[in-house]
Amino acid sequence: MEESSQIVHLTISPQEWQCIVPTGKTLLEASLAAGIRLPSSCRNGTCRACMCQLIEGKIRYRIEWPGLSAEEKQASWILPCVAEAEGAVVIRAPLAVKV
């Protein structure tokens, strides 16, 4: 159970804001808990409002096929509302704001 005790960090670029991503939380949930609002709407991977680019790291999705095309996935676009970190992650989300 080492993985569950690992501290995982999310960095939001270009602002260089950071937060911790608790095990079992999505990138969107973790950022909101840290006072950082990413654009979002549905929170279930269909509306694409939260779409941003994965710059570094690896994620896994809570759902089998989130609302991204194969080409978008290959270009490192992700949906943070249904994405969980598998280690340190850096995303590019220029519309993120502190709340």
Side-chain angles (χ1 to χ4, degrees), residues 58-74:
K58 192 173 177 186
I59 54 110
R60 66 180 166 274
Y61 285 108
R62 285 185 170 176
I63 60 177
E64 189 174 325
W65 189 255
L68 294 170
S69 70
E71 293 81 13
E72 289 168 332
K73 281 183 170 185
Q74 191 166 9

Side-chain angles (χ1 to χ4, degrees), residues 27 50-59 61 68-80 83 89-93:
L27 302 180
C50 66
M51 193 165 125
C52 64
Q53 256 186 321
L54 180 67
I55 304 299
E56 251 178 65
K58 192 173 177 186
I59 54 110
Y61 285 108
L68 294 170
S69 70
E71 293 81 13
E72 289 168 332
K73 281 183 170 185
Q74 191 166 9
S76 298
W77 290 99
I78 65 167
L79 298 174
V89 172
V90 178
I91 62 172
R92 186 177 189 302

